[in-house]
Amino acid sequence: MLTARRIFVGVFALFLAVVIADRLLPPPLERAGGLSALVTDRDGKPLRAFATPDGRWRFAGDLDRIDPDFIDALIRVEDKRFYQHRGTDWMGLSRAALDSVFAGRIVSGGSTLTMQTARMLEPRDRNIGSKLIEIARAWQLERRLTKDEILSLYLSLTPYGGNLEGVRAASWSYFGHEADKLSKDEIALLIALPQSPEVRRPDRHPENAERARNWVAEKLQRYDVFTKGDVEDVATLSVPGRRRDFPDRAWHGTAKALAEGPREDVRSTLDAGLQAEVERIALTRAEAEGEDVQVSVLVVHVPTRAVRAVAGSASRDRPGGWLDLTAQARSPGSTLKPFIYAMAFDDGTAAPDTRVADLPTRFASYQPENFDRMFRGDVRVSDALQHSLNIPAVAMLDRVGPERFAAQLASAGARPRISGGAEHEAGLAIALGGAGLTARELAVLYAALGDDGVAKPLVWRADEEAANYEATGKRLVSGESAGEVLDILRKAPTPEGRMPGSLTAHAPQIAFKTGTSYGFRDAWAAGVSGQHAIIVWVGRADGAPRAGKTGHDTALPILFEVADRVAQHLQDEGEATMRLTSQKRLLKSHGAMKSLEDAGPPQILFPPQAAELWAGPVNGRAARGFVLAGRGEGRLSWYIDGRPCDTDDAGAPVWKPERPGFYTVTAVDSAGRASRVRVRVLTGPA
């Protein structure tokens, strides 16, 4: 006999069984993983799409990237009470069952979007038992996910024929663009295809696809989503007759950006316009050098260390082209000489005007020679560096110490690979390329030259730029020595047919150094142009020699061409601020050309770069603010970590730090030019 107690116990037992089953048999949401990824440039322009590990195209159904008109139309056709039911639309299911009974065949399955999502997560044969499981799974999904999350999951998994899953993958493959803006005919086709994805594939069965699309358009007219004119327009249009290729640019740079973090849609630091130019330049130059030659190029924004363009090779169709040659260790030739001299400047053992001997010299068992096997006697350090004389560089490294030099490079993120194994000591030959470095590591070093001697790692993802800009970094050399070396390198002999930047209108000022490895295996050009470091390598991927091919003759012209393109593509962002010739006027006086340049960016006098400032009490009294001082054109505006600095009654900038730590102090003159220093504020023991 049924009693209230027995009924209660029965209901409770059923409820408990459902809860236990829900916990023990959760919906297999992990099957929605393995998404494809789309890597864009820093402005969101698509560069390259990556398939899932099993070769499918399945992009995340991000609702922000899908046309809302498509979503509205989909819900009206597939599940108009989607936002009201809890997984199963019992009214719609009952109507579908009755329609099927009267028709004598299955007319409609009555599945909601949630039930369809459950079926895609756990495919099985279509029968009554499967329908009951879908109903249970739909309830589980509704308990765990929001409506938008379920819709997003559906839009990720919907089959569109072949290896296409999800509306974004279908839009890219059939229409060649993202699904954020879809035409009426595209909306109708994308709704029609999943109902019979293989039978209606437009690339294989265009007639079936067109009939299904037109039928959906008529249905949307009945729902007042489309007008009669929309339906007529859709009927006049053909369906795509083939699948398009997914975006496939910036092969090596996009792969690196994707590998730097979670496998999802990634906004890289690359600039699409500059990337295209760099790839074109690399291929054109490689073809001119010979069929087995490769060219790799790296462009880095110095303030953030963001990689703006990278050509790991000139072409994957050329020998070794699948390798990212910016990541392969090669002999850097003479490209490390600037850092030897900068460290010597730091030690006080040399200065740009110091005289050094360029004479036959033996260092223990090592006797270097100049590239041209000539000797010039006593020369200035600046001349020795500009003309890449070997003997003075080795003598300077002997003073600095090769082990210390190698250790300092390694601490900055550019570890030299010493021949003979990990325990083999660095020798004086490192001055002439007797150690392996990658183009990426050279970019770290040359970017440090352009950033007052502070080294930071390269950044490949746009969301990491700001943090890297604020990061302290590792000091490689002092800011003063870095500046002196850059001044020397700007006056080095330019490529044949190229006038110095100081005498050429609208040309970038480039501080550069070339390098040629032993046996002419590697030709290098590395430099700083405005706020960008540029590294160029030319050679064969297999390391075979190329007799007579030097960095000055083959790599340097490429560097100058890339620098021109950098100045052109990035000038609107305020990044090419050191194109000094735009701030110069050339005057002809007494038959000679003279360049008059303005005062340049402001000079910060206080606080100096890398200073440690005491902001704690002094002799028991509260600390006073710091009065900022500088020189520049017009009145200077001061900012602390991007915020305007307070002023006193006299209008002087007075900074009162609120906390200990690191700060960036910026001075901006009336022309908008800026200088920055990084300082540390202390209020107690460090």
Side-chain angles (χ1 to χ4, degrees), residues 425-496:
E425 293 185 353
L428 295 176
I430 195 174
L432 310 182
L437 283 177
T438 68
R440 295 179 189 174
E441 290 166 336
L442 276 180
V444 169
L445 298 178
Y446 275 82
L449 274 186
D451 194 16
D452 291 328
V454 176
K456 296 180 183 179
L458 303 184
V459 169
W460 298 83
R461 293 193 171 203
D463 57 4
E464 299 174 0
E465 288 190 43
N468 208 45
Y469 173 76
E470 296 294 337
T472 304
K474 178 72 175 180
R475 181 158 294 284
L476 175 64
V477 295
S478 70
E480 182 179 0
S481 295
E484 289 176 333
V485 167
L486 288 176
D487 287 340
I488 293 172
L489 296 180
R490 288 191 186 102
K491 300 171 185 176
T494 55
E496 184 177 354

Side-chain angles (χ1 to χ4, degrees), residues 98 123 136 189 226 286-287 318 331 337 358 408 474 479 547 550 611 672:
L98 288 174
L189 182 62
F226 281 8
E287 289 175 342
R318 300 174 70 82
S331 167
K337 289 177 180 176
D358 180 32
Q408 205 151 328
K474 178 72 175 180
T550 67

Side-chain angles (χ1 to χ4, degrees), residues 96-109:
L98 288 174
D99 290 343
S100 298
V101 168
F102 287 124
R105 59 184 177 84
I106 296 178
V107 176
S108 171

Side-chain angles (χ1 to χ4, degrees), residues 38 49 56-59 160-179 182 186 189-190 193 201-203 239-247:
L38 180 66
R56 307 190 74 78
W57 293 105
R58 182 194 306 125
F59 295 102
Y160 278 94
N163 63 346
L164 295 179
E165 294 182 4
V167 65
R168 291 179 60 205
S171 181
W172 274 113
S173 185
Y174 291 131
F175 312 137
H177 61 75
E178 186 60 91
L182 297 169
E186 291 172 344
L189 182 62
L190 290 175
L193 293 183
R201 279 184 61 171
D203 59 324
V239 296
R242 64 178 181 85
R243 285 178 51 169
R244 300 170 183 262
D245 293 332
F246 285 87

Side-chain angles (χ1 to χ4, degrees), residues 585-621:
R585 292 184 182 141
L586 302 179
L587 301 180
K588 198 166 186 179
S589 174
H590 304 292
M593 295 296 291
K594 294 185 179 181
S595 173
L596 298 182
E597 57 181 308
D598 60 19
Q603 180 183 3
I604 297 177
L605 303 177
F606 185 86
Q609 172 67 20
E612 291 188 345
L613 308 178
W614 176 257
V618 179
N619 295 328
R621 298 180 180 179

